Amino acid sequence: MSCITEIDLAHKLTGIRGWEIHDDRIIKTYGFDEDMKALDFLNQLAIVATHSNMRPEIMLSGSQVKVSIVIGEEGELSERDFSLAKRAEQLAVSVL
């Protein structure tokens, strides 16, 4: 697994609209028009994360889901972290 350099970081974030870096994590809050769609998204993302052996923080509040992907074991954001963020984007579109 390769780690992301600071030079690559801005480029990686452009591919996953709406994600922001906060300290040791990348974060995005998704808003859905129905609570059940938010729950469906959360469940699907939890399954994907589990199969990827990743443990993002996922918080549900009504029709909003906040996803926080903490840096990997390498101590830096990795390709794997960004891949999960991209997968979250795809899942969010599929439940809309």
Side-chain angles (χ1 to χ4, degrees):
M1 250 177 288
S2 61
C3 292
I4 304 297
T5 65
E6 287 186 32
I7 296 170
D8 294 331
L9 197 53
H11 178 69
K12 292 288 182 188
L13 284 177
T14 60
I16 48 173
R17 195 178 83 214
W19 286 80
E20 299 177 355
I21 297 176
H22 292 277
D23 299 321
D24 64 344
R25 61 194 69 221
I26 54 176
I27 298 173
K28 181 170 181 178
T29 301
Y30 292 89
F32 298 91
D33 58 358
E34 297 175 19
D35 293 356
M36 289 306 296
K37 287 183 180 180
L39 185 58
D40 185 33
F41 168 74
L42 182 151
N43 287 331
Q44 289 184 42
L45 183 58
I47 291 168
V48 168
T50 299
H51 287 289
S52 301
N53 199 29
M54 297 184 72
R55 304 293 180 263
E57 295 174 359
I58 308 172
M59 293 175 273
L60 174 68
S61 178
S63 62
Q64 293 196 345
V65 179
K66 181 178 180 182
V67 181
S68 178
I69 302 173
V70 181
I71 59 171
E73 295 174 3
E74 303 86 14
E76 297 180 27
L77 290 167
S78 69
E79 290 289 342
R80 214 171 84 147
D81 300 320
F82 287 97
S83 291
L84 183 59
K86 287 178 185 175
R87 186 69 181 119
E89 292 297 303
Q90 294 168 344
L91 290 172
V93 170
S94 74
V95 300
L96 290 176

